[in-house]
Amino acid sequence: MTSVSMTVNGKPVSGDVEGRTLLSSFLRDGQGLTGTHVGCDTSQCGACVVHVNGQAVKSCTMFAAEAAGAEVTTIEGMANADGSLGTIQQAFQDYHGLQCGFCTPGMVMSAAALLAENPSPSEAEVRHYLEGNICRCTGYHNIVRAIMAASGQEVPAVAAE
Amino acid sequence: MPKDSGIGASSKRREDIRFLTGTGNYTDDINLNGQAYVAFLRSDVAHGTLNGVDSSAAAGMPGVVRIFTGADFEGVGGLPCGWQVTDRHGQPMQEPAHPVLAQGKVRHVGDPIAAVVAETAAQARDAADAINADITELPAVVDMSAALAEGSPKVHDDLTSNLCYDWGFVEENKDAVAAAIDGAHHVTTLELVNNRLVANPMEPRVAVGDYAAHNGESTLYTTSQNPHVIRLLMGAFVLGIPEHKLRVVAPDVGGGFGSKIFHYAEEAFCTFAAKAIKRPVKWTSTRSEAFITDAHGRDHVTKIELALDAEGKFLALRTDTLANMGAYLSTFSTSVPTWLHGTLMAGNYTTPLIYVNVKAVFTNTVPVDAYRGAGRPEATFQLERVIDKAAREMGIDPVELRRRNFIQPDQFPYATPVAVEYDTGNYDATMDKALALADWDGFEARAAESAANGKWRGRGVNSYIEACGIAPSALVGQLGARAGLYESATVRVNATGGLVVMTGSHSHGQGHETAFPQVIAEMIGIDESMVEIVHGDTANTPMGMGTYGSRSIAVGGSAMVRAAEKIINKAKKIAAHLMEASDADVELANGEFTVAGTDKSVAWGDVCLAAYVPHNYPLEDIEPGLEETAFYDPANFTYPAGAYICEVEVDPGTGQVSIERFTAADDFGNVINPMIVEGQVHGGLGQGIGQALLENCVYDENGQLVSGSFMDYAMPRADDLPNFTVDHSCQTPCTHNPLGVKGCGEAGAIGSPPAVVNAVVDALQRGGKDVTHIDMPLSPSRVWSAMNS
Ligand code: FES
Ligand code: FES
């Protein structure tokens, strides 16, 4: 066991980890930040995406020890200061971009990374960027629309009738 | 004007707030004080004799609390099957034992042999890996035809063969169907495979067992679509725990699609082990483990024959299917290829004579059970593929051929020759709608454009029907179900006017917490925010059958309406007393009780308060309080139906298929929340298109699962799928439930695979290739091989 410290959602945290402890388990089990989900064991699904020093990272694919000293942001850190939903989160609700919610934290974190890089992506760019995030519920249709809307682009409203 | 609340409004989902902020409460988020962790040693061979288990080395490893093997479960029941099918000869199906931990034999890769309970998950895994299972490998039974051949090794030594049942439906029609086929003007025959799939909800399964020594109560937290069903099956059949000493909680569940209906060994194990070691015991499946333990779906091999007259009227239909059961009978496995499949073979058509034969087969593979649609996608796929082939053979337009055979609106209620009675429908209406939305008439111009880009464009149409709102208990009881299929709701009104609805339905993505209050709000005329939904915990919800088969709003919603009607009737009596009027004259609208023809009124909240503070109250006539329960047993299934159109481009150089347009026109009857309904269709389309183009669960000849991870099993990703055009404006409300709803959860997965395959075959035909069928998934290599063979 070694001790590791990092900043998570703006707060300094530390904990004892084994060499093999993944960042995802450090966050979930060590810090009780269970918003970060684990959907696979082959780095394929993206349910575990967090930001490490501003980069989208699959937290199941990084050792906790590797994140020592880093600034980590998880889904728990994405709401506005007053607790209301952030722009991307709000767009996911407005455009019904989630059903069971299990892929959702990873989707929101990936979307945030995409929009930081490319503030006005085309639909094809959104779809391509999400290749590392699997959703089994939505068929992606409304996730793509939510992200387009969050980028400030015109998206027709959901189920208008 | 779109409504902004109540029935028909696209109310935003209230559950989204917790899911979007990381504050959901999924089973793996639950950690109990003193909890230990379990890891299973699983068979790595498909079939073998288990000579012994040596756990001596593992027992001394760090953190190990206790190791369990099959011997610990000798006095414990096996996992039960919930549906007994009777075969063509009136005999019950062959029903093997399904032990919690392997006893004497292993029967599929993933079959659990031993379990280590340890202080940490990593220690449990390390120790499980150190257990030595002495297995003599036996030849694996993988292919269904080989499994039925004389002299095949048997999956279960105590059964007479690998045949679970040989089912004929409708058996009395068999000869008449044969005669009609023999004498027909035209017979189209097709052999096809409905590919084996893995449901893969994004949340892997989790079970946490707990035992309270002070009152002897066991609690299981589990990723389930139906906690009461798990409580009943596990309590009564496996562990022998009376229901009042067993609580099952299914909190937020990250998708199910059928795979979380069933009672699994790990649930029984964690409940059993928690009591044995007097500590909470937690198991979290890895995705790799999910692939070899979650029940798989589909896996049918079928020959279908359709007889037509010279005008294209369907005269008779006959199918022969082999259905894979896997190594054991999962909870509802036996009902899927039979009653959820054979009864849908009439489709939307007037075919007078139908005979369905299904042979269910044991193999050394993971058990196969219901997956989104469950039997109905298999029925629709065969039927809509053979109709397309018939249209081509007879030179009739595929839309026209379907229309010639549609059941007409004035024929409802319509009794099919396969035992079900459709209450209502209008199949031309959804077809017209789909054709218009898909711009069917503009196809040739788009095809020319594709051709100019070196691509072949094709289009495929499909008309589907499904049976939802599962199910009338007396009927399914006759058919072999070992459960009732009603649903329940308790509506509790609080003294200050807010309501809590405790439902036996379960939401794992469907949005019940939003949609169910819309109904109550509409009935009483109050704000949706005054209604809260409680589900997923046997301790605080009435006995219910859970969520599958698109039954929640049709059956669970109906139970809620019935309970709310009781509430309103009682509230009217209280209001009548307060207003000194006759209760027959009291009306409720906009949250206010009034007396017809007077200006008297009393608010909803005042009546609720009076019910709990009964100072001025008709105590001689009615009890205080305002809480009612209803159990609703449906009179019939519901029959959602629709027409789907797919337009594809095929790259003739590579066989790559891309979906250019996809249009779904569904008739779901009345719709409570259009936004949620459309989302359900999108998700179903994603899974159906996934089946058609990408997904395939593959075993090699030794019974090793080749597609055992997301690296090998192709899940649809965002850029594999198009934007969808979906419509539910054609509505023929269900005639036998109070909301007129039919259910929408499975339609997309049922209607889309044949539309995709029909479109690809069309594209190849237009490209000059005489290809009449390709088995799913239509991967580039399969398409390329078909066009170049
Ligand atoms: S859990 Fe990290 S990619 Fe699946
Ligand atoms: S919302 Fe369920 S997996 Fe995406």
Side-chain angles (χ1 to χ4, degrees):
Chain A
M1 289 279 188
T2 50
S3 174
V4 49
S5 305
M6 64 189 82
T7 306
V8 179
N9 301 329
K11 276 196 265 171
V13 302
S14 57
D16 289 337
V17 298
E18 288 185 70
R20 63 181 171 182
T21 305
L22 301 170
L23 179 56
S24 52
S25 6
F26 177 79
L27 294 168
R28 286 183 57 79
D29 306 332
Q31 303 305 316
L33 294 171
T34 53
T36 297
H37 293 158
V38 176
C40 75
D41 46 7
T42 52
S43 297
Q44 294 280 310
C45 77
C48 62
V49 171
V50 300
H51 295 176
V52 177
N53 295 328
Q55 300 285 312
V57 165
K58 287 179 169 169
S59 64
C60 73
T61 309
M62 184 175 194
F63 293 119
E66 290 178 282
E71 296 268 351
V72 175
T73 308
T74 69
I75 187 70
E76 288 90 345
M78 294 299 282
N80 295 325
D82 65 357
S84 61
L85 296 181
T87 308
I88 296 172
Q89 292 167 313
Q90 189 60 59
F92 268 70
Q93 188 192 27
D94 291 346
Y95 287 86
H96 192 27
L98 64 153
Q99 291 182 24
C100 79
F102 199 80
C103 73
T104 308
M107 286 288 177
V108 170
M109 299 313 287
S110 286
L114 165 65
L115 297 185
E117 221 169 86
N118 180 357
S120 198
S122 66
E123 185 200 317
E125 286 172 331
V126 174
R127 288 184 180 272
H128 182 71
Y129 192 87
L130 293 180
E131 67 176 1
N133 291 80
I134 304 177
C135 175
R136 193 53 151 168
C137 295
T138 63
Y140 303 99
H141 182 102
N142 283 340
I143 292 178
V144 173
R145 285 154 42 92
I147 296 173
M148 302 286 287
S151 76
Q153 301 182 67
E154 218 33 63
V155 177
V158 158
E161 74 275 24
Chain B
M1 252 310 264
K3 286 181 78 176
D4 59 7
S5 89
I7 292 175
S10 283
S11 298
K12 287 183 199 173
R13 296 201 332 165
R14 53 178 80 177
E15 44 273 81
D16 289 359
I17 306 294
R18 65 177 188 274
F19 297 147
L20 282 162
T21 53
T23 49
N25 183 36
Y26 298 88
T27 311
D28 195 41
D29 302 341
I30 294 171
N31 292 298
L32 303 177
N33 269 342
Q35 157 183 301
Y37 296 80
V38 59
F40 290 92
L41 173 70
R42 298 185 180 279
S43 179
D44 56 6
V45 300
H47 195 192
T49 304
L50 180 61
N51 305 312
V53 179
D54 177 5
S55 52
S56 51
M61 288 177 62
V64 171
V65 177
R66 189 159 156 194
I67 297 176
F68 295 81
T69 65
D72 294 291
F73 284 83
E74 264 162 20
V76 172
L79 304 174
C81 176
W83 200 300
Q84 179 179 296
V85 169
T86 302
D87 78 3
R88 289 176 54 201
H89 313 291
Q91 297 303 308
M93 65 189 190
Q94 297 209 76
E95 192 170 357
H98 186 180
V100 174
L101 293 179
Q103 311 267 351
K105 233 182 147 183
V106 288
R107 295 188 178 85
H108 66 87
V109 170
D111 211 359
I113 297 168
V116 177
V117 179
E119 297 296 339
T120 72
Q123 288 169 334
R125 184 73 265 151
D126 289 345
D129 290 343
I131 297 176
N132 189 8
D134 176 9
I135 295 173
T136 306
E137 203 172 340
L138 298 167
V141 180
V142 180
D143 177 77
M144 286 193 277
S145 305
L148 293 182
E150 198 64 37
S152 164
K154 285 194 290 184
V155 177
H156 295 277
D157 302 327
D158 53 337
L159 304 186
T160 57
S161 69
N162 293 316
L163 180 67
C164 176
Y165 53 75
D166 176 2
W167 184 75
F169 182 66
V170 172
E171 193 60 25
E172 301 79 66
N173 288 350
K174 190 168 190 272
D175 294 340
V177 169
I181 289 175
D182 291 345
H185 168 80
H186 185 88
V187 178
T188 296
T189 304
L190 185 59
E191 292 184 28
L192 44 79
V193 173
N194 204 292
N195 42 328
R196 185 175 178 121
L197 302 176
V198 183
N200 276 320
M202 291 319 297
E203 177 201 32
R205 288 189 297 117
V206 181
V208 187
D210 193 17
Y211 178 72
H214 68 276
N215 62 6
E217 186 176 305
S218 293
T219 301
L220 170 69
Y221 301 87
T222 182
T223 47
S224 174
Q225 301 176 216
N226 33 238
H228 286 95
V229 174
I230 303 305
R231 185 181 65 165
L232 179 63
L233 295 177
M234 184 173 78
F237 297 95
V238 189
L239 300 179
I241 306 174
E243 281 166 290
H244 62 281
K245 290 290 183 195
L246 180 58
R247 174 182 172 206
V248 177
V249 185
D252 287 330
V253 172
F257 316 113
S259 70
K260 292 174 181 168
I261 297 171
F262 323 121
H263 178 36
Y264 287 97
E266 296 84 1
E267 296 173 318
F269 178 82
C270 289
T271 309
F272 178 88
K275 185 173 180 183
I277 68 163
K278 306 280 187 290
R279 286 174 66 176
V281 172
K282 180 175 189 174
W283 170 72
T284 301
S285 175
T286 62
R287 180 61 58 185
S288 301
E289 216 171 1
F291 270 100
I292 54 171
T293 64
D294 291 5
H296 293 173
R298 314 280 194 261
D299 206 353
H300 286 194
V301 177
T302 294
K303 178 182 173 194
I304 182 167
E305 297 158 282
L306 175 65
L308 305 94
D309 72 11
E311 275 70 54
K313 282 293 268 183
F314 303 159
L315 302 174
L317 185 76
R318 178 167 60 195
T319 72
D320 268 297
T321 290
L322 295 182
N324 206 334
M325 292 287 102
Y328 302 100
L329 295 180
S330 173
T331 313
F332 289 115
S333 55
T334 50
S335 67
V336 175
T338 49
W339 299 108
L340 294 177
H341 163 244
T343 52
L344 272 299
M345 288 310 303
N348 307 26
Y349 311 105
T350 54
T351 319
L353 285 166
I354 297 176
Y355 181 70
V356 177
N357 179 253
V358 177
K359 294 184 180 70
V361 186
F362 293 109
T363 60
N364 290 118
T365 63
V366 168
V368 181
D369 206 325
Y371 167 60
R372 200 171 197 164
R376 292 150 288 171
E378 294 89 325
T380 303
F381 185 69
Q382 301 160 41
L383 190 56
E384 294 299 315
R385 282 293 300 125
V386 82
I387 292 172
D388 236 53
K389 187 164 182 246
R392 207 170 288 285
E393 288 172 356
M394 295 182 73
I396 303 174
D397 175 80
V399 174
E400 172 57 25
L401 181 59
R402 286 174 170 87
R403 287 197 197 272
R404 281 184 202 173
N405 289 281
F406 277 161
I407 299 161
Q408 294 302 309
D410 60 3
Q411 290 178 280
F412 293 98
Y414 182 83
T416 73
V418 275
V420 288
E421 184 176 282
Y422 302 160
D423 58 342
T424 177
N426 186 342
Y427 309 136
D428 276 311
T430 44
M431 181 61 82
D432 291 342
K433 178 59 84 173
L435 293 172
L437 290 172
D439 185 24
W440 184 260
D441 295 337
F443 173 81
E444 293 303 338
R446 294 190 295 278
E449 222 173 278
S450 298
N453 293 323
K455 301 277 172 57
W456 297 341
R457 201 170 185 104
R459 62 183 177 184
V461 64
N462 159 60
S463 223
Y464 79 92
I465 188 161
E466 56 168 329
C468 296
I470 291 173
S473 294
L475 173 63
V476 297
Q478 285 165 25
L479 305 182
R482 290 164 168 163
L485 286 169
Y486 51 82
E487 196 46 87
S488 63
T490 296
V491 176
R492 176 179 298 160
V493 183
N494 294 318
T496 50
L499 294 93
V500 182
V501 179
M502 287 146 276
T503 170
S505 296
H506 185 274
S507 178
H508 28 281
Q510 297 88 341
H512 297 171
E513 290 169 40
T514 300
F516 279 35
Q518 292 181 240
V519 174
I520 297 283
E522 179 89 26
M523 290 176 76
I524 303 178
I526 52 174
D527 200 81
E528 290 167 20
S529 65
M530 289 174 68
V531 187
E532 197 69 27
I533 303 298
V534 172
H535 64 98
D537 185 345
T538 60
N540 58 18
T541 54
M543 173 73 184
M545 299 311 291
T547 288
Y548 42 82
S550 306
R551 70 192 300 276
S552 289
I553 199 68
V555 190
S558 297
M560 177 178 68
V561 168
R562 290 289 184 243
E565 286 168 353
K566 293 187 194 180
I567 292 279
I568 290 170
N569 282 340
K570 183 171 177 185
K572 280 184 175 171
K573 290 198 174 102
I574 303 168
H577 178 88
L578 295 176
M579 293 188 286
E580 295 175 344
S582 153
D583 45 318
D585 297 333
V586 174
E587 287 163 7
L588 171 63
N590 302 316
E592 199 168 47
F593 297 90
T594 51
V595 181
T598 75
D599 60 357
K600 290 182 181 174
S601 75
V602 53
W604 166 256
D606 292 333
V607 169
C608 301
L609 190 65
Y612 289 95
V613 188
H615 296 166
N616 173 19
Y617 193 88
L619 283 167
E620 58 289 352
D621 294 331
I622 48 176
E623 297 168 5
L626 211 39
E627 173 166 331
E628 299 287 349
T629 295
F631 284 72
Y632 180 83
D633 204 90
N636 190 356
F637 292 89
T638 62
Y639 300 96
Y644 287 11
I645 294 173
C646 177
E647 213 167 291
V648 298
E649 269 189 352
V650 176
D651 183 333
T654 63
Q656 176 76 42
V657 175
S658 82
I659 306 228
E660 297 299 308
R661 289 169 167 238
F662 201 102
T663 307
D666 294 291
D667 174 359
F668 296 134
N670 294 336
V671 162
I672 308 298
N673 182 318
M675 176 191 81
I676 290 176
V677 166
E678 292 185 5
Q680 288 292 308
V681 176
H682 294 156
L685 294 176
Q687 291 181 347
I689 293 170
Q691 166 165 33
L693 294 184
L694 299 161
E695 298 179 40
N696 202 20
C697 179
V698 181
Y699 279 94
D700 73 8
E701 68 279 11
N702 299 317
Q704 291 293 332
L705 179 62
V706 177
S707 53
S709 80
F710 287 153
M711 320 260 276
D712 314 289
Y713 184 92
M715 293 282 279
R717 314 243 172 181
D719 58 3
D720 294 317
L721 298 175
N723 264 316
F724 306 117
T725 302
V726 302
D727 178 90
H728 50 78
S729 64
C730 302
Q731 300 182 347
T732 60
C734 171
T735 59
H736 57 78
N737 65 41
L739 291 167
V741 293
K742 297 184 177 182
C744 65
E746 296 159 295
I750 293 170
S752 54
V756 174
V757 178
N758 289 348
V760 173
V761 169
D762 185 56
L764 299 189
Q765 291 273 348
R766 287 167 190 269
K769 302 291 180 186
D770 188 25
V771 173
T772 56
H773 180 69
I774 310 175
D775 277 324
M776 302 184 289
L778 304 187
S779 60
S781 78
R782 287 187 182 201
V783 175
W784 192 89
S785 303
M787 67 170 96
N788 289 291
S789 66

